[in-house]
Amino acid sequence: NAGFNAIRIPIRWQCHITDVSKMSIDPAWIDRIKTVVGWCLDNDLKVIINAHHEKWLESRPTSQYKEENCNKLKLLWTNIASAFADYDSRLAFAGTNEVQDNWKAPTTENLEVQNAYNQTFVDAVRNTCGNNAKRHLIVQTYTCNPEYGINGDFIIPKDLDGNGNNYMSVEFHYYQPWSYAGDCTYDYWGDAYKDAGKIPAENEKTMTDFFDKAVNTWS
């Protein structure tokens, strides 16, 4: 009623895997997710489900684990996508979440692994049935940090022929300025509140300029 029209449901699957060799998911967990997604769709919300805090995936972005993780990710998203294949276009999938190595700036190796995760996710979903051929898919920059997408070696995955980039979005998490959003050094942010107390140098224009840059990069 306040105007929100979309909801992101972070989902941790690793605690509900019944067979790691197939990345099979406990049917009771799938049913629970379907219940929650159904509540959202009943309220005509757009819905995003993802793979969230999968530690085997997120915390090992190196060549040593790349093949193993891509195989597990392929199996996981094949199972998820198959379970939700008949849901309409209001449901979107996001492949990973904040893949990172102790939050350090990425190496070339880290970026290559994230690119591989994104492509594996897209291929897995598209190789299933139902409405998944044109399901909206959301791919992430490394750590979901936009700077590592715009200024790094981020590659938009290849989709099915004919889809172009019409059924794909780039996700990033915007915590800038961190001094306000993360460290809580400031109680106020933005020129609109400069008379209320001390504010960081980054203001509304900083934010809109960056989002314009993101749009110009990925639109």
Side-chain angles (χ1 to χ4, degrees):
N1 290 340
F4 292 96
N5 67 356
I7 186 165
R8 175 178 181 250
I9 306 173
I11 303 170
R12 195 177 204 181
W13 304 92
Q14 69 180 47
C15 305
H16 304 275
I17 299 299
T18 56
D19 183 346
V20 175
S21 68
K22 300 177 182 178
M23 293 302 283
S24 304
I25 304 164
D26 183 352
W29 187 239
I30 289 288
D31 287 345
R32 172 60 178 166
I33 303 307
K34 287 183 175 180
T35 295
V36 177
V37 170
W39 292 338
C40 301
L41 296 178
D42 287 345
N43 284 278
D44 202 28
L45 291 166
K46 295 179 176 66
V47 186
I48 299 167
I49 62 174
N50 74 352
H52 201 91
H53 288 178
E54 303 293 310
K55 294 305 180 184
W56 57 270
L57 178 73
E58 294 176 14
S59 61
R60 305 190 302 175
T62 61
S63 297
Q64 179 182 355
Y65 301 103
K66 178 181 174 182
E67 183 176 355
E68 173 192 346
N69 283 355
C70 282
N71 184 57
K72 291 172 69 175
L73 188 67
K74 174 184 177 180
L75 293 170
L76 177 63
W77 273 108
T78 297
N79 293 330
I80 297 170
S82 296
F84 290 91
D86 294 333
Y87 281 67
D88 65 33
S89 61
R90 291 175 296 169
L91 177 65
F93 299 153
T96 61
N97 174 72
E98 294 187 346
V99 172
Q100 49 80 27
D101 182 10
N102 293 317
W103 304 108
K104 298 178 293 187
T107 63
T108 299
E109 179 183 22
N110 296 148
L111 294 169
E112 288 176 351
V113 170
Q114 179 65 53
N115 288 332
Y117 288 170
N118 286 331
Q119 188 65 64
T120 297
F121 159 64
V122 171
D123 291 345
V125 174
R126 296 300 188 229
N127 284 330
T128 57
C129 55
N131 294 322
N132 290 329
K134 296 187 183 300
R135 173 87 53 207
H136 201 89
L137 303 182
I138 300 169
V139 297
Q140 291 82 21
T141 62
Y142 184 80
T143 76
C144 282
N145 184 324
E147 294 292 352
Y148 300 152
I150 291 175
N151 299 326
D153 293 322
F154 174 74
I155 298 173
I156 300 292
K158 186 181 186 312
D159 206 341
L160 294 176
D161 290 342
N163 276 2
N165 292 329
N166 294 320
Y167 303 99
M168 195 181 303
S169 294
V170 177
E171 175 185 352
F172 59 82
H173 298 168
Y174 191 80
Y175 296 108
Q176 280 69 35
W178 185 251
S179 58
Y180 171 77
D183 288 336
C184 302
T185 304
Y186 297 91
D187 293 327
Y188 302 94
W189 169 85
D191 289 348
Y193 294 93
K194 62 185 178 183
D195 294 333
K198 188 177 179 182
I199 61 173
E202 299 95 332
N203 58 11
E204 295 91 339
K205 187 176 186 303
T206 307
M207 182 176 70
T208 55
D209 285 351
F210 182 83
F211 273 78
D212 285 344
K213 185 177 181 181
V215 169
N216 290 333
T217 301
W218 291 313
S219 62

